[in-house]
Amino acid sequence: MLEGRHALVTGGGTGLGLAIARALAGAGAEVTIAGRRAEVLAAAAGPGLHPLVMDVADEASVVAGVAMAVAARGPATVCVANAGIAEGRSLARTDLAFWRRLMAVNLDGAFLTIRECLPGMRAAGWGRVIAVASIAGLRGLRGAPAYTASKHGLVGLVRGLSEEVIGSGITCNALCPGYADTEIVARNTGAIAARAGVSEAEALALMVAENRHRRLIAPGEVAAAALWLCAPGSESVNGQAIAIAGGQV
Ligand code: NAP
């Protein structure tokens, strides 16, 4: 299905990004997996998966990184802006440095990555922009106002760009998972436990309870949605923020 296509996935060395990258490679794409840690990317690399060290918060790194990937594998006509950091702090404890760090990765990073991939899509007359936002892009996430703002911003970017690409063969959508079974959630369990004054098991149970199916989202569920957005039959899906959250609203 994606034979001959080049897909670029930021944060592609771990978690949801790696699951998406593997699904796209499984469908025949050559996939650039980008992130900051070379050793993590090297461990994830394999048939169809090509590592690229790139910091999405650094404009020069994104410009050079995307150009290098395009030189090696052709225009990145599938762009998955997935890299992100998830950290919760009350607004009172949110200093400007923390706010800017979240925005720099979650919002600026997606903007820069998508902007650099877009000319290749326009030239090809086909493209798929997929931003991995969050259910926090659609509703408030308790204890995480900066993260919520960054993901609402990302959904706004997707909706704005979807208007710009109408009729060009390019679509632009956001995937909005609830708590998923990845490192981010494992890392946050301790933080949530400390904040809420509960054990780590209780913190995990609190996250699971947010999902009306009473389980974490499997990374493969998010990957399946990304694959569907690249497949024939989804051409008319544009500007959508698709919740993958067990009915959570
Ligand atoms: P993860 O395994 O921690 O993935 C985050 C990825 O982003 C890592 O591969 C990381 O690689 C990369 N990254 C972080 N900062 C970067 C930067 N400045 N430049 C380039 N890459 C950077 O967690 P995940 O759950 O898969 O998260 C992926 C996305 O899903 C995030 O945007 C997150 O907000 C979103 N999400 C996750 C959940 C969840 O419950 N897991 C739910 C909703 C949405 P390096 O550290 O090597 O750079």
Side-chain angles (χ1 to χ4, degrees), residues 27-57:
E30 294 300 320
V31 185
T32 299
I33 50 174
R36 291 164 305 172
R37 290 167 297 166
E39 69 285 3
V40 169
L41 295 167
L49 298 176
H50 310 275
L52 170 71
V53 174
M54 177 174 106
D55 181 349
V56 297

PDB file of all heavy atoms in Angstrom, residues 27-57:
ATOM      1  N   ALA A  27       3.636  -1.706   5.793  1.00  0.00           N
ATOM      2  CA  ALA A  27       2.805  -1.478   4.599  1.00  0.00           C
ATOM      3  C   ALA A  27       3.656  -1.093   3.401  1.00  0.00           C
ATOM      4  O   ALA A  27       3.123  -0.715   2.352  1.00  0.00           O
ATOM      5  CB  ALA A  27       1.774  -0.392   4.890  1.00  0.00           C
ATOM      6  N   GLY A  28       4.984  -1.142   3.557  1.00  0.00           N
ATOM      7  CA  GLY A  28       5.865  -0.950   2.403  1.00  0.00           C
ATOM      8  C   GLY A  28       6.630   0.360   2.360  1.00  0.00           C
ATOM      9  O   GLY A  28       7.457   0.560   1.470  1.00  0.00           O
ATOM     10  N   ALA A  29       6.364   1.281   3.314  1.00  0.00           N
ATOM     11  CA  ALA A  29       7.053   2.581   3.271  1.00  0.00           C
ATOM     12  C   ALA A  29       8.489   2.455   3.765  1.00  0.00           C
ATOM     13  O   ALA A  29       8.812   1.565   4.554  1.00  0.00           O
ATOM     14  CB  ALA A  29       6.302   3.585   4.145  1.00  0.00           C
ATOM     15  N   GLU A  30       9.348   3.349   3.284  1.00  0.00           N
ATOM     16  CA  GLU A  30      10.659   3.555   3.902  1.00  0.00           C
ATOM     17  C   GLU A  30      10.436   4.635   4.949  1.00  0.00           C
ATOM     18  O   GLU A  30       9.924   5.719   4.632  1.00  0.00           O
ATOM     19  CB  GLU A  30      11.688   4.029   2.857  1.00  0.00           C
ATOM     20  CG  GLU A  30      11.995   2.988   1.790  1.00  0.00           C
ATOM     21  CD  GLU A  30      12.575   1.687   2.382  1.00  0.00           C
ATOM     22  OE1 GLU A  30      13.392   1.767   3.314  1.00  0.00           O
ATOM     23  OE2 GLU A  30      12.183   0.593   1.906  1.00  0.00           O
ATOM     24  N   VAL A  31      10.755   4.341   6.193  1.00  0.00           N
ATOM     25  CA  VAL A  31      10.367   5.233   7.290  1.00  0.00           C
ATOM     26  C   VAL A  31      11.601   5.806   7.988  1.00  0.00           C
ATOM     27  O   VAL A  31      12.466   5.056   8.456  1.00  0.00           O
ATOM     28  CB  VAL A  31       9.498   4.484   8.329  1.00  0.00           C
ATOM     29  CG1 VAL A  31       8.994   5.455   9.392  1.00  0.00           C
ATOM     30  CG2 VAL A  31       8.330   3.775   7.659  1.00  0.00           C
ATOM     31  N   THR A  32      11.668   7.122   8.046  1.00  0.00           N
ATOM     32  CA  THR A  32      12.703   7.791   8.834  1.00  0.00           C
ATOM     33  C   THR A  32      12.171   7.946  10.244  1.00  0.00           C
ATOM     34  O   THR A  32      11.085   8.523  10.449  1.00  0.00           O
ATOM     35  CB  THR A  32      13.031   9.178   8.246  1.00  0.00           C
ATOM     36  OG1 THR A  32      13.515   9.011   6.910  1.00  0.00           O
ATOM     37  CG2 THR A  32      14.070   9.892   9.083  1.00  0.00           C
ATOM     38  N   ILE A  33      12.900   7.412  11.211  1.00  0.00           N
ATOM     39  CA  ILE A  33      12.492   7.572  12.612  1.00  0.00           C
ATOM     40  C   ILE A  33      13.436   8.599  13.248  1.00  0.00           C
ATOM     41  O   ILE A  33      14.647   8.413  13.263  1.00  0.00           O
ATOM     42  CB  ILE A  33      12.475   6.227  13.381  1.00  0.00           C
ATOM     43  CG1 ILE A  33      13.781   5.437  13.200  1.00  0.00           C
ATOM     44  CG2 ILE A  33      11.289   5.379  12.934  1.00  0.00           C
ATOM     45  CD1 ILE A  33      13.849   4.170  14.083  1.00  0.00           C
ATOM     46  N   ALA A  34      12.845   9.695  13.741  1.00  0.00           N
ATOM     47  CA  ALA A  34      13.659  10.805  14.247  1.00  0.00           C
ATOM     48  C   ALA A  34      13.494  10.969  15.750  1.00  0.00           C
ATOM     49  O   ALA A  34      12.417  10.738  16.302  1.00  0.00           O
ATOM     50  CB  ALA A  34      13.251  12.099  13.533  1.00  0.00           C
ATOM     51  N   GLY A  35      14.576  11.351  16.383  1.00  0.00           N
ATOM     52  CA  GLY A  35      14.566  11.620  17.820  1.00  0.00           C
ATOM     53  C   GLY A  35      15.924  12.156  18.222  1.00  0.00           C
ATOM     54  O   GLY A  35      16.815  12.289  17.374  1.00  0.00           O
ATOM     55  N   ARG A  36      16.097  12.457  19.496  1.00  0.00           N
ATOM     56  CA  ARG A  36      17.384  13.038  19.928  1.00  0.00           C
ATOM     57  C   ARG A  36      18.403  11.977  20.301  1.00  0.00           C
ATOM     58  O   ARG A  36      19.597  12.201  20.192  1.00  0.00           O
ATOM     59  CB  ARG A  36      17.161  13.957  21.138  1.00  0.00           C
ATOM     60  CG  ARG A  36      16.395  15.230  20.819  1.00  0.00           C
ATOM     61  CD  ARG A  36      15.894  15.863  22.079  1.00  0.00           C
ATOM     62  NE  ARG A  36      15.103  14.893  22.843  1.00  0.00           N
ATOM     63  CZ  ARG A  36      14.639  15.083  24.071  1.00  0.00           C
ATOM     64  NH1 ARG A  36      14.898  16.217  24.691  1.00  0.00           N
ATOM     65  NH2 ARG A  36      13.929  14.154  24.683  1.00  0.00           N
ATOM     66  N   ARG A  37      17.962  10.799  20.774  1.00  0.00           N
ATOM     67  CA  ARG A  37      18.915   9.812  21.300  1.00  0.00           C
ATOM     68  C   ARG A  37      19.304   8.784  20.237  1.00  0.00           C
ATOM     69  O   ARG A  37      18.513   7.906  19.889  1.00  0.00           O
ATOM     70  CB  ARG A  37      18.308   9.115  22.523  1.00  0.00           C
ATOM     71  CG  ARG A  37      18.186  10.030  23.751  1.00  0.00           C
ATOM     72  CD  ARG A  37      17.315   9.403  24.812  1.00  0.00           C
ATOM     73  NE  ARG A  37      15.938   9.200  24.347  1.00  0.00           N
ATOM     74  CZ  ARG A  37      15.038   8.434  24.961  1.00  0.00           C
ATOM     75  NH1 ARG A  37      15.363   7.787  26.052  1.00  0.00           N
ATOM     76  NH2 ARG A  37      13.814   8.321  24.468  1.00  0.00           N
ATOM     77  N   ALA A  38      20.553   8.910  19.768  1.00  0.00           N
ATOM     78  CA  ALA A  38      21.040   8.033  18.689  1.00  0.00           C
ATOM     79  C   ALA A  38      20.955   6.563  19.093  1.00  0.00           C
ATOM     80  O   ALA A  38      20.592   5.710  18.275  1.00  0.00           O
ATOM     81  CB  ALA A  38      22.475   8.404  18.335  1.00  0.00           C
ATOM     82  N   GLU A  39      21.251   6.258  20.356  1.00  0.00           N
ATOM     83  CA  GLU A  39      21.302   4.840  20.761  1.00  0.00           C
ATOM     84  C   GLU A  39      19.896   4.234  20.779  1.00  0.00           C
ATOM     85  O   GLU A  39      19.707   3.059  20.428  1.00  0.00           O
ATOM     86  CB  GLU A  39      22.023   4.674  22.119  1.00  0.00           C
ATOM     87  CG  GLU A  39      21.316   5.205  23.358  1.00  0.00           C
ATOM     88  CD  GLU A  39      21.325   6.741  23.518  1.00  0.00           C
ATOM     89  OE1 GLU A  39      21.834   7.458  22.639  1.00  0.00           O
ATOM     90  OE2 GLU A  39      20.787   7.224  24.538  1.00  0.00           O
ATOM     91  N   VAL A  40      18.915   5.028  21.130  1.00  0.00           N
ATOM     92  CA  VAL A  40      17.520   4.536  21.135  1.00  0.00           C
ATOM     93  C   VAL A  40      17.063   4.285  19.691  1.00  0.00           C
ATOM     94  O   VAL A  40      16.434   3.269  19.383  1.00  0.00           O
ATOM     95  CB  VAL A  40      16.593   5.574  21.833  1.00  0.00           C
ATOM     96  CG1 VAL A  40      15.134   5.235  21.632  1.00  0.00           C
ATOM     97  CG2 VAL A  40      16.933   5.658  23.319  1.00  0.00           C
ATOM     98  N   LEU A  41      17.416   5.200  18.806  1.00  0.00           N
ATOM     99  CA  LEU A  41      17.034   5.058  17.391  1.00  0.00           C
ATOM    100  C   LEU A  41      17.734   3.856  16.766  1.00  0.00           C
ATOM    101  O   LEU A  41      17.121   3.100  16.001  1.00  0.00           O
ATOM    102  CB  LEU A  41      17.389   6.333  16.624  1.00  0.00           C
ATOM    103  CG  LEU A  41      16.613   7.586  17.063  1.00  0.00           C
ATOM    104  CD1 LEU A  41      17.256   8.840  16.466  1.00  0.00           C
ATOM    105  CD2 LEU A  41      15.151   7.497  16.641  1.00  0.00           C
ATOM    106  N   ALA A  42      19.015   3.684  17.116  1.00  0.00           N
ATOM    107  CA  ALA A  42      19.776   2.555  16.554  1.00  0.00           C
ATOM    108  C   ALA A  42      19.144   1.236  16.985  1.00  0.00           C
ATOM    109  O   ALA A  42      19.049   0.290  16.195  1.00  0.00           O
ATOM    110  CB  ALA A  42      21.230   2.633  17.006  1.00  0.00           C
ATOM    111  N   ALA A  43      18.678   1.172  18.226  1.00  0.00           N
ATOM    112  CA  ALA A  43      18.055  -0.059  18.727  1.00  0.00           C
ATOM    113  C   ALA A  43      16.728  -0.320  18.012  1.00  0.00           C
ATOM    114  O   ALA A  43      16.321  -1.477  17.845  1.00  0.00           O
ATOM    115  CB  ALA A  43      17.842   0.037  20.235  1.00  0.00           C
ATOM    116  N   ALA A  44      16.050   0.745  17.600  1.00  0.00           N
ATOM    117  CA  ALA A  44      14.733   0.587  16.954  1.00  0.00           C
ATOM    118  C   ALA A  44      14.857   0.343  15.455  1.00  0.00           C
ATOM    119  O   ALA A  44      13.925  -0.163  14.826  1.00  0.00           O
ATOM    120  CB  ALA A  44      13.889   1.840  17.202  1.00  0.00           C
ATOM    121  N   ALA A  45      15.999   0.716  14.868  1.00  0.00           N
ATOM    122  CA  ALA A  45      16.165   0.630  13.408  1.00  0.00           C
ATOM    123  C   ALA A  45      16.078  -0.823  12.938  1.00  0.00           C
ATOM    124  O   ALA A  45      16.312  -1.756  13.708  1.00  0.00           O
ATOM    125  CB  ALA A  45      17.507   1.234  13.003  1.00  0.00           C
ATOM    126  N   GLY A  46      15.723  -0.991  11.688  1.00  0.00           N
ATOM    127  CA  GLY A  46      15.590  -2.337  11.121  1.00  0.00           C
ATOM    128  C   GLY A  46      15.138  -2.198   9.684  1.00  0.00           C
ATOM    129  O   GLY A  46      15.195  -1.087   9.125  1.00  0.00           O
ATOM    130  N   PRO A  47      14.664  -3.271   9.090  1.00  0.00           N
ATOM    131  CA  PRO A  47      14.224  -3.197   7.697  1.00  0.00           C
ATOM    132  C   PRO A  47      13.154  -2.122   7.516  1.00  0.00           C
ATOM    133  O   PRO A  47      12.128  -2.136   8.204  1.00  0.00           O
ATOM    134  CB  PRO A  47      13.639  -4.592   7.439  1.00  0.00           C
ATOM    135  CG  PRO A  47      14.269  -5.473   8.487  1.00  0.00           C
ATOM    136  CD  PRO A  47      14.534  -4.614   9.675  1.00  0.00           C
ATOM    137  N   GLY A  48      13.442  -1.164   6.655  1.00  0.00           N
ATOM    138  CA  GLY A  48      12.489  -0.082   6.386  1.00  0.00           C
ATOM    139  C   GLY A  48      12.478   1.016   7.426  1.00  0.00           C
ATOM    140  O   GLY A  48      11.754   2.000   7.276  1.00  0.00           O
ATOM    141  N   LEU A  49      13.258   0.904   8.476  1.00  0.00           N
ATOM    142  CA  LEU A  49      13.267   1.913   9.551  1.00  0.00           C
ATOM    143  C   LEU A  49      14.654   2.541   9.632  1.00  0.00           C
ATOM    144  O   LEU A  49      15.625   1.867   9.984  1.00  0.00           O
ATOM    145  CB  LEU A  49      12.910   1.278  10.905  1.00  0.00           C
ATOM    146  CG  LEU A  49      11.525   0.649  11.035  1.00  0.00           C
ATOM    147  CD1 LEU A  49      11.369  -0.023  12.395  1.00  0.00           C
ATOM    148  CD2 LEU A  49      10.429   1.696  10.848  1.00  0.00           C
ATOM    149  N   HIS A  50      14.757   3.836   9.318  1.00  0.00           N
ATOM    150  CA  HIS A  50      16.048   4.512   9.190  1.00  0.00           C
ATOM    151  C   HIS A  50      16.182   5.611  10.247  1.00  0.00           C
ATOM    152  O   HIS A  50      15.366   6.538  10.276  1.00  0.00           O
ATOM    153  CB  HIS A  50      16.163   5.136   7.798  1.00  0.00           C
ATOM    154  CG  HIS A  50      15.834   4.177   6.685  1.00  0.00           C
ATOM    155  ND1 HIS A  50      16.763   3.316   6.151  1.00  0.00           N
ATOM    156  CD2 HIS A  50      14.655   3.908   6.053  1.00  0.00           C
ATOM    157  CE1 HIS A  50      16.187   2.571   5.209  1.00  0.00           C
ATOM    158  NE2 HIS A  50      14.904   2.912   5.130  1.00  0.00           N
ATOM    159  N   PRO A  51      17.189   5.513  11.111  1.00  0.00           N
ATOM    160  CA  PRO A  51      17.321   6.485  12.201  1.00  0.00           C
ATOM    161  C   PRO A  51      17.802   7.860  11.730  1.00  0.00           C
ATOM    162  O   PRO A  51      18.580   7.955  10.788  1.00  0.00           O
ATOM    163  CB  PRO A  51      18.374   5.843  13.115  1.00  0.00           C
ATOM    164  CG  PRO A  51      19.129   4.891  12.254  1.00  0.00           C
ATOM    165  CD  PRO A  51      18.222   4.461  11.152  1.00  0.00           C
ATOM    166  N   LEU A  52      17.314   8.888  12.394  1.00  0.00           N
ATOM    167  CA  LEU A  52      17.752  10.274  12.124  1.00  0.00           C
ATOM    168  C   LEU A  52      17.787  11.031  13.442  1.00  0.00           C
ATOM    169  O   LEU A  52      16.744  11.194  14.094  1.00  0.00           O
ATOM    170  CB  LEU A  52      16.761  10.963  11.171  1.00  0.00           C
ATOM    171  CG  LEU A  52      16.949  12.471  10.979  1.00  0.00           C
ATOM    172  CD1 LEU A  52      18.218  12.770  10.164  1.00  0.00           C
ATOM    173  CD2 LEU A  52      15.730  13.094  10.273  1.00  0.00           C
ATOM    174  N   VAL A  53      18.967  11.489  13.828  1.00  0.00           N
ATOM    175  CA  VAL A  53      19.059  12.290  15.047  1.00  0.00           C
ATOM    176  C   VAL A  53      18.617  13.711  14.707  1.00  0.00           C
ATOM    177  O   VAL A  53      19.191  14.369  13.836  1.00  0.00           O
ATOM    178  CB  VAL A  53      20.495  12.270  15.625  1.00  0.00           C
ATOM    179  CG1 VAL A  53      20.605  13.229  16.807  1.00  0.00           C
ATOM    180  CG2 VAL A  53      20.863  10.853  16.056  1.00  0.00           C
ATOM    181  N   MET A  54      17.574  14.147  15.376  1.00  0.00           N
ATOM    182  CA  MET A  54      17.004  15.472  15.085  1.00  0.00           C
ATOM    183  C   MET A  54      16.243  15.949  16.320  1.00  0.00           C
ATOM    184  O   MET A  54      15.493  15.186  16.921  1.00  0.00           O
ATOM    185  CB  MET A  54      16.048  15.322  13.884  1.00  0.00           C
ATOM    186  CG  MET A  54      15.313  16.556  13.469  1.00  0.00           C
ATOM    187  SD  MET A  54      14.353  16.252  11.938  1.00  0.00           S
ATOM    188  CE  MET A  54      12.687  16.174  12.603  1.00  0.00           C
ATOM    189  N   ASP A  55      16.479  17.197  16.678  1.00  0.00           N
ATOM    190  CA  ASP A  55      15.769  17.793  17.822  1.00  0.00           C
ATOM    191  C   ASP A  55      14.663  18.683  17.269  1.00  0.00           C
ATOM    192  O   ASP A  55      14.937  19.733  16.669  1.00  0.00           O
ATOM    193  CB  ASP A  55      16.764  18.609  18.667  1.00  0.00           C
ATOM    194  CG  ASP A  55      16.103  19.235  19.888  1.00  0.00           C
ATOM    195  OD1 ASP A  55      14.853  19.220  19.987  1.00  0.00           O
ATOM    196  OD2 ASP A  55      16.839  19.753  20.736  1.00  0.00           O
ATOM    197  N   VAL A  56      13.399  18.293  17.472  1.00  0.00           N
ATOM    198  CA  VAL A  56      12.293  19.042  16.848  1.00  0.00           C
ATOM    199  C   VAL A  56      12.134  20.451  17.420  1.00  0.00           C
ATOM    200  O   VAL A  56      11.485  21.296  16.815  1.00  0.00           O
ATOM    201  CB  VAL A  56      10.940  18.289  16.946  1.00  0.00           C
ATOM    202  CG1 VAL A  56      10.979  16.970  16.206  1.00  0.00           C
ATOM    203  CG2 VAL A  56      10.480  18.118  18.388  1.00  0.00           C
ATOM    204  N   ALA A  57      12.748  20.692  18.586  1.00  0.00           N
ATOM    205  CA  ALA A  57      12.634  22.018  19.194  1.00  0.00           C
ATOM    206  C   ALA A  57      13.666  22.997  18.632  1.00  0.00           C
ATOM    207  O   ALA A  57      13.679  24.174  19.002  1.00  0.00           O
ATOM    208  CB  ALA A  57      12.789  21.907  20.714  1.00  0.00           C
TER     209      ALA A  57
END
